[in-house]
Amino acid sequence: MSSNDYKKIADLLFPDVKLTPENLEKKYPPRNLPDGACVTRPAPSPTGFMHLGNLWNAMIDEKLAHQSGGAVYLRIEDTDQKREVKGAMKLIIDVYDRFDFNFDEGYTKNGDFGEYGPYIQSRRKEIYRVFAKQLVSEGKAYPCFCSQEELEEIKKQQKAVKANTGYYGKWAKCRDLTYEEIENNFKNGEKYIIRFKSPGDENKRISVNDLIKGLLDPPENIRDEVVLKSDGLPTYHFAHVVDDHLMRTTHVVRDEEWLPSLPTHVQLFEAFRWKAPYYMHHSRLLKQEGVSKRKLSKRKDPELALDYYDKVGYIPQCLKEYIMTLLNSNYEEWRIANPTADLNDFKFTVEKLSPSGALFDLNKLNDISKNYISTLVTDEIYDYVKNWAETYDKDFYNFLTSREDYAKSILSIGRGVEKPRKDITYMSEVKNYVSYFYDELFNADYTMPYNIKSQSADDIKNIAKDYTDIYDSNDEQTVWFDKIKSLAAKYGYAPEMKLYRKNPQDYKGSVADISMILRVAVCGRQNSPDMYEVFKIMGSDMICRRLEWFAGKYK
């Protein structure tokens, strides 16, 4: 077929396309950025499922761009509209907002922002048609009129002779149609798609330097992949190539599941005579299961979904802190040396990205989360808890907000000291953590430690009753503890720990046991923060009420 025939086919298929590639190159010129600046983009699909991989990609994208003086933008890849879920675009924005990503341009809740949009692929349909027409006019793409039934029959025949499946070689029935055949099919209204005419040779390999995986040499692509579907929208293969070129993307970070498609993408860049971006294919996150490891699964592992962390009440910053330890192994050392520094101050390096899968460890995340939460001031932790409860536990939200000062005084215990308490991992734990401060939430467990349980139940109840008479919320801490010591002496417990350690046989127990009895009686649990602080916040009325309840129920 002559070059003139190719141009005639392009005009036949795209009669309304008047823009040229040159027009678009002028509209989207190279960015005015310093040498070495990276231009990156998270590009999620609106499927209604945002996962750890989206967070992983975005963190790398943002670091690469901002450390180099470049730009990071958000693009929505919605060309597969069968998979699109209603409300999913808002979900994408909400998730990235929650994790405090600072995009320089792209799709936002207020629409597109930036000079290289539209940033939603379905709104770039006419752009793709311009470049599809170019490929057809150069003989590098063609219309395929095969029905789904014909494609299934081709696959069936290939399997019968144990050939690789796909549309290529002698199986590509529409590759060599004449202009007249194409014109006749077109005039008859037959549906068609546009396929890229692969120049690949199955006996040759390509060479690509992946910035994570290293030098790759997969075989050339030989399949005539679809570039435009029958609805006029592009496939991912075609759209991302066109968009990354026009948006002047320099680095593409994506999951290793796209590695089999890499030869196709390289061919498309070469067909347009464009420089391809640097590709960075990261491995999937792994989970320990017994003695083996497996990839995190959407079906098996709720922690893969980012909304899991929202529902449980993890602070987004904690998850970002943990992910950074997986991205760069030296981050933990840096964080220890810079405990109050902003995560953005850390110098991220591509060289430290592991080519193999990282092990996702919830226990490690929980440790990071506890440490982080322990550094928050009272107002910060209160706001986090309140905001979480407003969505996920309305009753608890009402408790927190009806007596804000009281709630803050509870959350302030053990905070702002040299060695702060690390009781809270995520916000859904807080209700149980503070429940004994609220009569409505109080669910007492009066189980005593074994050494105390062996004592007379009457003695234990009498200790609680006697404390009702001596507790005074105005007492200084030393006076408060002296009263507990006197109670210990009255009931045959050592008032000083040194006395008990010296002659344990002379006593029923120590003053620590009296403190434990009072803790269990008032708090309904064996573990709590500093009792003096707890009792001060509760006040005399609640202390006496709890001691009375205990005396009536303990057996």
Side-chain angles (χ1 to χ4, degrees):
M1 193 180 298
S2 68
S3 59
N4 187 53
D5 284 337
Y6 292 137
K7 290 178 181 177
K8 286 169 61 181
I9 294 171
D11 289 337
L12 177 70
L13 301 178
F14 302 97
D16 56 331
V17 174
K18 304 304 179 185
L19 282 174
T20 66
E22 291 73 26
N23 296 144
L24 294 171
E25 294 286 351
K26 186 175 181 180
K27 182 178 180 180
Y28 303 108
R31 294 170 180 267
N32 184 22
L33 295 170
D35 291 342
C38 300
V39 179
T40 60
R41 68 346 178 244
S45 298
T47 61
F49 182 66
M50 291 289 282
H51 52 82
L52 286 170
N54 296 121
L55 181 61
W56 186 281
N57 283 14
M59 288 181 67
I60 297 175
D61 286 328
E62 188 177 51
K63 278 290 189 182
L64 286 175
H66 290 163
Q67 285 185 179
S68 64
V72 56
Y73 64 91
L74 175 61
R75 187 171 76 214
I76 306 296
E77 299 194 336
D78 65 336
T79 56
D80 189 354
Q81 299 200 322
K82 292 179 181 178
R83 297 176 64 225
E84 183 172 342
V85 173
K86 185 178 180 180
M89 289 195 193
K90 181 181 182 300
L91 172 66
I92 290 170
I93 294 299
D94 289 345
V95 167
Y96 285 133
D97 280 351
R98 190 163 71 246
F99 283 94
D100 196 28
F101 281 103
N102 182 25
F103 298 122
D104 301 292
E105 61 185 73
Y107 177 65
T108 74
K109 56 188 172 186
N110 298 317
D112 280 350
F113 174 75
E115 301 297 321
Y116 289 81
Y119 294 94
I120 297 178
Q121 286 185 330
S122 60
R123 299 176 187 172
R124 299 172 62 84
K125 187 173 181 179
E126 295 312 309
I127 293 175
Y128 305 127
R129 286 165 54 79
V130 171
F131 289 100
K133 182 176 183 179
Q134 178 188 348
L135 289 179
V136 172
S137 70
E138 294 176 355
K140 297 175 180 176
Y142 61 91
C144 173
F145 297 92
C146 289
S147 65
Q148 190 59 43
E149 291 75 19
E150 288 176 299
L151 295 175
E152 289 297 328
E153 179 60 29
I154 290 171
K155 184 184 291 187
K156 183 178 178 181
Q157 292 175 14
Q158 289 170 332
K159 288 182 176 179
V161 297
K162 297 183 178 179
N164 291 326
T165 58
Y167 203 83
Y168 65 93
K170 68 178 183 179
W171 311 103
K173 296 170 60 177
C174 294
R175 179 188 255 249
D176 297 317
L177 293 178
T178 64
Y179 171 76
E180 289 74 20
E181 289 173 315
I182 292 172
E183 183 183 38
N184 186 56
N185 288 340
F186 184 79
K187 288 181 176 180
N188 288 336
E190 293 191 29
K191 288 186 177 181
Y192 64 90
I193 56 178
I194 303 296
R195 290 185 181 273
F196 176 62
K197 187 181 291 185
S198 171
D201 183 333
E202 61 184 339
N203 298 311
K204 293 182 179 179
R205 308 183 81 83
I206 65 170
S207 180
V208 178
N209 183 32
D210 185 282
L211 295 187
I212 296 178
K213 299 288 188 184
L215 191 62
L216 304 175
D217 64 337
E220 289 187 350
N221 169 62
I222 61 171
R223 293 175 176 80
D224 290 358
E225 300 287 3
V226 179
V227 291
L228 281 191
K229 296 175 285 187
S230 58
D231 61 2
L233 286 173
T235 58
Y236 168 80
H237 307 301
F238 187 55
H240 103 272
V241 166
V242 171
D243 291 344
D244 284 335
H245 172 69
L246 290 182
M247 294 178 178
R248 311 301 172 175
T249 309
T250 64
H251 292 69
V252 171
V253 182
R254 62 186 184 183
D255 192 288
E256 65 183 0
E257 69 175 356
W258 290 106
L259 279 171
S261 302
L262 184 58
T264 299
H265 303 158
V266 170
Q267 282 183 341
L268 285 166
F269 275 106
E270 290 175 346
F272 285 116
R273 296 174 290 278
W274 295 336
K275 180 182 177 182
Y278 292 105
Y279 282 100
M280 302 170 63
H281 292 86
H282 61 79
S283 299
R284 291 282 184 90
L285 287 169
L286 304 176
K287 182 175 184 176
Q288 191 75 41
E289 195 166 69
V291 296
S292 60
K293 299 173 184 176
R294 62 169 175 79
K295 293 178 180 178
L296 278 176
S297 159
K298 178 180 178 181
R299 183 172 57 87
K300 295 181 179 180
D301 307 306
E303 66 268 31
L304 179 61
L306 290 180
D307 65 358
Y308 165 83
Y309 301 94
D310 196 34
K311 292 173 183 175
V312 173
Y314 281 93
I315 294 176
Q317 182 66 20
C318 297
L319 189 54
K320 289 180 75 174
E321 290 274 334
Y322 174 57
I323 293 295
M324 190 56 74
T325 69
L326 300 179
L327 293 176
N328 273 189
S329 58
N330 61 321
Y331 179 73
E332 286 186 77
E333 182 181 347
W334 177 87
R335 174 51 77 198
I336 291 170
N338 303 274
T340 61
D342 191 299
L343 182 146
N344 292 323
D345 295 338
F346 172 69
K347 183 66 176 177
F348 168 83
T349 53
V350 172
E351 291 75 18
K352 289 188 177 295
L353 288 168
S354 173
S356 58
L359 185 63
F360 190 81
D361 184 354
L362 266 178
N363 292 327
K364 180 71 173 295
L365 168 60
N366 289 343
D367 287 341
I368 288 174
S369 187
K370 286 179 182 179
N371 287 333
Y372 182 83
I373 291 173
S374 73
T375 68
L376 299 176
V377 299
T378 300
D379 283 351
E380 289 175 319
I381 185 67
Y382 174 78
D383 286 342
Y384 277 123
V385 178
K386 181 186 71 173
N387 292 337
W388 174 85
E390 186 175 16
T391 301
Y392 296 105
D393 192 336
K394 200 69 177 180
D395 288 340
F396 186 42
Y397 171 81
N398 292 334
F399 280 114
L400 292 170
T401 55
S402 62
R403 297 169 64 192
E404 180 176 326
D405 290 341
Y406 182 66
K408 286 183 177 180
S409 66
I410 299 168
L411 294 170
S412 70
I413 301 175
R415 199 165 294 280
V417 295
E418 185 178 351
K419 292 184 177 181
R421 295 185 63 87
K422 298 178 181 179
D423 300 295
I424 301 172
T425 309
Y426 33 75
M427 298 307 103
S428 57
E429 284 185 337
V430 176
K431 185 175 185 177
N432 179 62
Y433 175 67
V434 304
S435 62
Y436 58 93
F437 285 95
Y438 297 91
D439 285 345
E440 300 89 339
L441 302 177
F442 186 54
N443 184 20
D445 178 1
Y446 291 138
T447 304
M448 295 288 178
Y450 178 77
N451 64 307
I452 299 175
K453 192 175 181 180
S454 62
Q455 302 297 323
S456 162
D458 287 340
D459 264 9
I460 293 173
K461 288 193 284 187
N462 286 333
I463 289 169
K465 288 177 181 177
D466 283 359
Y467 191 69
T468 303
D469 297 329
I470 62 175
Y471 178 73
D472 186 340
S473 60
N474 295 314
D475 287 341
E476 294 294 332
Q477 189 161 8
T478 53
V479 175
W480 169 82
F481 195 52
D482 282 342
K483 288 182 177 180
I484 294 178
K485 288 180 180 180
S486 67
L487 199 59
K490 177 179 178 180
Y491 284 91
Y493 291 76
E496 302 283 351
M497 287 303 300
K498 62 182 178 181
L499 295 175
Y500 182 72
R501 283 193 290 266
K502 187 176 181 179
N503 297 297
Q505 71 281 356
D506 294 342
Y507 303 98
K508 294 179 182 179
S510 71
V511 66
D513 296 323
I514 299 299
S515 294
M516 178 59 75
I517 291 170
L518 296 176
R519 175 181 282 110
V520 172
V522 173
C523 301
R525 59 183 66 186
Q526 294 183 21
N527 295 302
S528 75
D530 180 74
M531 274 178 57
Y532 177 74
E533 293 295 329
V534 169
F535 285 15
K536 286 276 285 186
I537 292 169
M538 285 183 166
S540 296
D541 289 346
M542 181 176 283
I543 298 295
C544 293
R545 186 164 61 251
R546 295 290 177 81
L547 291 170
E548 184 180 344
W549 291 353
F550 173 76
K553 293 182 179 180
Y554 187 72
K555 297 179 181 179

